[in-house]
Amino acid sequence: MKIDWWTLGLQTVNVLVLVWILSRFLFRPVTAIIAERQASAARLLDDARAARDAALVEKAKIDEEAARQAAARTVALTSAAAEAATEKTALLAAARIEAEQKRVAAETEFFLARQSETAATADRASLLAVDIASKLLDRLPPEARVVGFIEGMASQLGALPPSTRHDLATSGEEARLKAPRALTDEELKACGAAFSRAIGRPVIFAVEIDPGLIAGLEFETRHALVRNSFRFDLDRIATELTRHDHARQ
Amino acid sequence: MIASPLTLDPVFSIGPAPITEPVLVTWAIMIGLGGFAFLVTRRLKLVPSKAQTVLETVVGAVDDQIRDTMQTEPARYRALIGTIFLYVLIANWSSLAPGVEPPTAHLETDAALALIVLGATIVFGIGTRGLGGYLKTFAEPTWVMIPLNVVEQITRTFSLIVRLFGNVMSGVFVVGIVLTLAGLLTPIPLMALDLLTGAVQAYIFAVLATVFIGAAVGESHEIALEPSEQKRKQP
């Protein structure tokens, strides 16, 4: 066995040189790139972490904004509901008032129409009565339209208050005597005699023809009005009937 | 290989220095490894290519081995341990090339590697502990152990030499004998076995070098662990 010291030395140097070569061209660059990759990965992780944190912050803001909007929406809905309720109440009240007004107006209109209808009916009835009475009286002698009412008129004059009768007697005023037709002389004399007897003094009057009386007499002065005629009776009957109808309604 | 593995004939001489085959093969390995490293590491990228991935895997494996064995940051020892592993591996596998005899099948190459490991043990030990601290390690656990520890330093260096030399030389020798006695393709299974043996021997040599250096550096290397490394080591 023989050791070749030259080979031993050269191999030692060779291996040491190889250590330097590989250290320079292999291990150092490779470890550097591995470290760089790790640093890059760490940076990426940091960036990702920062992005995640930013996203979480943004999400929290969005959640807060959504909650705020939800609260505002609730408030707006509540306000709108309250406003709608108020509006509804006001509309209902206004509708009720309007309906009540319309109902009252309708009732009033109905009442007025009915009154008008009643009045028209009464008028027609009066006209009919007057017409009937006229036609019936046409079958009687002409004297019947006046003579039969002279004493009644005298009785009513006699029933006037004494002061009224006194005024009639002393005022010197000419009274008006309405009659359905022109009075004959006998009828004028009978009227003067009867009226004077009732009042107690002579009465001056002028005769005024009013066919609307149908039959009877009406005595008018400035202080008194005495009616004893069919027209007056028919008017009174119609008035009574109308009042009776109203009371019945 | 039918000549004596214990003798070397010079191929040529440079002045007084005879250049033998192991030296020539080692130069070829140096050129090949260095050229490959230079070419690949010229274009290192964050997104690695296939060749870069292979290199990063090798470097990462070396780092992990150093870290696991020495419990320290591997940067200081990476170049030496990694180079020893790669050189021994490629030297062992160089027998696959026709007519090439592995440099590790000769005592001079193995002795050179073992001497480098011995020198590294001493340099790193003194560099870490100081001269006095390093010498004190020979008196552990008691001063009585000094002779034994000194002998251990020598014998374990010899064990490195003999183990690698014996395994590689015997493999090459057996393949040569079988090739002489049998047909052309007969030694292929043995050559495949040599590949496995060569890889295992490279790993064993590198690990033993790591262990020896780690023993010289001692427990004080614990303080050299980076925080990230300490965190990584926690279960």
Side-chain angles (χ1 to χ4, degrees), chain A residues 156-187:
Chain A
Q156 289 181 348
L157 289 172
L160 289 173
S163 58
T164 304
R165 279 187 282 141
H166 182 264
D167 289 340
L168 282 175
T170 59
S171 64
E173 178 191 0
E174 185 182 57
R176 286 180 297 163
L177 179 64
K178 289 183 179 178
R181 58 174 173 74
L183 299 180
T184 61
D185 293 336
E186 290 79 12
E187 289 171 343

Side-chain angles (χ1 to χ4, degrees), chain A residues 1-4 6-8 10-12 14-15 17-19 21-23 25-27 29-31 33 36-37, chain B residues 6 17-18 20 22-23 26-27 30 37-38 41 44 46 52 55-56 78 82-83 87 107-109 111-112 116:
Chain A
M1 175 178 163
K2 178 186 172 187
I3 296 293
D4 185 347
W6 275 107
T7 302
L8 176 60
L10 285 173
Q11 287 295 71
T12 305
N14 286 341
V15 173
V17 170
L18 185 61
V19 168
I21 290 172
L22 293 186
S23 171
F25 293 108
L26 177 63
F27 295 110
V30 171
T31 52
I33 196 69
E36 188 178 347
R37 186 183 298 120
Chain B
L6 300 178
T20 55
V23 174
T26 299
W27 285 349
M30 288 167 66
F38 175 74
T41 55
L44 292 179
L46 287 179
Q52 183 181 340
L55 284 186
E56 289 185 6
R78 181 188 300 126
T83 302
Y87 172 69
L107 270 177
E108 288 79 2
T109 304
I116 289 172

Side-chain angles (χ1 to χ4, degrees), chain B residues 24-213:
Chain B
L24 287 177
V25 175
T26 299
W27 285 349
I29 291 172
M30 288 167 66
I31 292 170
L33 257 181
F36 175 75
F38 175 74
L39 289 176
V40 173
T41 55
R42 269 194 321 173
R43 297 169 188 163
L44 292 179
K45 296 174 182 174
L46 287 179
V47 179
S49 62
K50 290 179 181 176
Q52 183 181 340
T53 304
V54 171
L55 284 186
E56 289 185 6
T57 304
V58 171
V59 174
V62 171
D63 279 359
D64 289 342
Q65 189 62 53
I66 295 170
R67 200 177 283 116
D68 292 343
T69 305
M70 299 178 68
Q71 304 293 307
T72 187
E73 180 61 23
R76 194 179 176 197
Y77 314 101
R78 181 188 300 126
L80 178 66
I81 304 299
T83 302
I84 288 174
F85 172 72
L86 288 176
Y87 172 69
V88 173
L89 179 69
I90 293 173
N92 291 346
W93 284 359
S94 65
S95 63
L96 292 178
V100 175
E101 192 176 329
T104 46
H106 292 277
L107 270 177
E108 288 79 2
T109 304
D110 301 332
L113 290 169
L115 283 176
I116 289 172
V117 172
L118 178 64
T121 304
I122 296 169
V123 169
F124 284 126
I126 293 173
T128 304
R129 297 173 180 267
L131 179 60
Y134 176 69
L135 292 177
K136 279 182 185 173
T137 59
F138 288 91
E140 289 175 354
T142 66
W143 60 271
V144 178
M145 298 293 290
I146 290 176
L148 287 176
N149 284 333
V150 172
V151 169
E152 181 201 2
Q153 285 285 324
I154 299 168
T155 55
R156 72 186 186 186
T157 302
F158 271 100
S159 75
L160 278 178
I161 298 170
V162 172
R163 181 185 303 107
L164 183 59
F165 170 69
N167 280 283
V168 179
M169 181 272 293
S170 61
V172 173
F173 214 78
V174 167
V175 170
I177 293 172
V178 170
L179 192 59
T180 306
L181 298 176
L184 182 64
L185 300 177
T186 310
I188 287 179
L190 293 173
M191 293 172 74
L193 184 62
D194 271 356
L195 284 179
L196 178 63
T197 306
V200 170
Q201 288 305 315
Y203 176 75
I204 289 173
F205 199 97
V207 167
L208 285 176
T210 310
V211 170
F212 295 160
I213 295 170

Side-chain angles (χ1 to χ4, degrees), chain A residues 43-57:
Chain A
R43 273 198 307 275
L44 284 175
L45 283 174
D46 289 342
D47 291 346
R49 201 172 291 116
R52 186 195 62 186
D53 293 343
L56 286 176
V57 170

